[in-house]
Amino acid sequence: ESIKVNCNGTKVSVLFVLPGSATTHTVLVVYDVDADCFRSFDFAQTGRVPEAHAWDHDVPMMFGVQTVTGGQLEASADVAGAPAASVKVSRSASGDRGDGGAPTTMSPGDGTEDRNSGIDTKNARKEANTPGLVVFTMFASPERIVLQESHPIPAGFEALLGLSVPSLYVCKKAAVAEGGGVCFSVTMRDFLGMEQVDPATKSALLEFNLHLATGNVEEAFRAVKSIKNPEVWENMAHMCIKSKRLDVAEMCLGNMGHVRGARAVRDASREPELDARVATVAVHLGLNDEAES
């Protein structure tokens, strides 16, 4: 279906078409040139189907995937000659499999990607029924592919053209008829209000996001410990609420001087359910949508 290469030529992403059909397979595969191995992510766990993908202009590990609603998942099961809808990816004998280069078979919905993705299945499916386009930003880490954030694209935009943190670039052909341009930028959710941060802060935030997504809390702390801007710490606290990492959120709130929020995290620890603890803290930060979800 399509092949894309990252900004420094070290990673290649591939989308496949189901045999005998124009329907895109739910599995996206990334080949890591340096490690000589393949990583994969099955979008069946998000309830959506990938349509297009693009790598960040400057960040080698970050890419975006444009998706549509999951109605096509059921339709793909009826494709003649492709009942199992499997993709085989052969690795060279020098890869990290250690099995002589035997193929890896990935079938949507078999649970393989859910075990390796490092994400919460409920959060992964939160955009399953969102109409129109949703772009998922992702990290191709050395160990696996991890979902970073979902970005519903405003109505009227047709396609993802590319990305350069903190912006996604999307196409709106109708604007040409009105005398405007065809390319527009949409700020990523995690950078709302911080579109003009300096390069060092942007780099630290990306590293923070990567380590938070892969569950490496100590490295996440280390990546941002030199940041002094309270607005940046507030933004990171919001990220932590979305990812349900209240331990990291408490540190962020403390650094931004949000005494009430930090206390809310400690008080919420008495709640038996994680969702209840997250909702309590989200309310104190004014994140009503996150509290409701």
Side-chain angles (χ1 to χ4, degrees):
E1 170 69 11
S2 64
I3 299 174
K4 302 289 183 179
V5 181
N6 72 344
C7 62
N8 64 1
T10 59
K11 292 179 173 60
V12 181
S13 54
V14 184
L15 284 176
F16 301 90
V17 172
L18 292 173
S21 170
T23 303
T24 304
H25 196 285
T26 58
V27 173
L28 177 141
V29 174
V30 173
Y31 175 63
D32 188 317
V33 175
D34 293 333
D36 189 20
C37 65
F38 291 89
R39 313 289 185 204
S40 60
F41 185 93
D42 192 346
F43 280 89
Q45 63 187 299
T46 70
R48 301 184 69 84
V49 180
E51 268 196 329
H53 51 134
W55 290 88
D56 187 271
H57 184 265
D58 300 303
V59 184
M61 288 197 299
M62 176 170 260
F63 63 102
V65 181
Q66 172 185 313
T67 66
V68 293
T69 52
Q72 295 181 48
L73 289 172
E74 289 76 15
S76 67
D78 298 327
V79 176
S86 65
V87 175
K88 289 188 177 180
V89 181
S90 298
R91 302 170 188 256
S92 68
S94 61
D96 66 349
R97 285 286 306 279
D99 57 4
T104 295
T105 301
M106 299 166 294
S107 299
D110 66 0
T112 301
E113 299 307 316
D114 196 47
R115 290 195 299 271
N116 296 320
S117 65
I119 64 173
D120 178 85
T121 304
K122 179 181 177 181
N123 285 339
R125 295 187 64 86
K126 66 182 180 181
E127 307 290 358
N129 299 315
T130 300
L133 303 181
V134 173
V135 172
F136 289 94
T137 46
M138 313 185 78
F139 286 113
S141 77
E143 295 79 24
R144 61 189 186 274
I145 299 174
V146 292
L147 179 63
Q148 190 260 335
E149 182 57 280
S150 59
H151 310 272
I153 302 302
F157 293 96
E158 290 93 357
L160 173 70
L161 299 176
L163 60 154
S164 181
V165 176
S167 298
L168 303 171
Y169 292 95
V170 292
C171 173
K172 187 176 184 180
K173 297 176 182 177
V176 177
E178 301 169 0
V182 71
C183 181
F184 295 80
S185 66
V186 177
T187 301
M188 297 178 183
R189 279 178 167 180
D190 290 342
F191 282 87
L192 288 172
M194 295 197 306
E195 293 85 347
Q196 305 302 321
V197 294
D198 60 87
T201 300
K202 181 173 75 171
S203 177
L205 285 170
L206 283 170
E207 192 172 349
F208 175 81
N209 267 300
L210 170 61
H211 292 309
L212 199 61
T214 55
N216 194 335
V217 177
E218 290 186 3
E219 289 298 325
F221 284 153
R222 191 174 293 114
V224 295
K225 65 180 181 180
S226 63
I227 293 178
K228 305 300 182 185
N229 188 333
E231 292 182 359
V232 175
W233 284 108
E234 181 177 8
N235 179 274
M236 289 190 291
H238 291 184
M239 293 183 209
C240 296
I241 296 302
K242 293 175 183 177
S243 60
K244 301 185 179 182
R245 292 307 304 259
L246 295 184
D247 51 344
V248 187
E250 184 175 4
M251 182 271 290
C252 295
L253 291 165
N255 277 276
M256 62 184 276
H258 199 305
V259 178
R260 187 178 65 177
R263 181 177 178 179
V265 174
R266 292 191 294 272
D267 291 345
S269 63
R270 293 192 288 268
E271 293 286 346
E273 297 293 332
L274 174 60
D275 287 344
R277 296 197 296 272
V278 171
T280 300
V281 180
V283 168
H284 280 276
L285 293 176
L287 303 175
N288 296 328
D289 290 342
E290 281 71 15
E292 291 174 2
S293 62

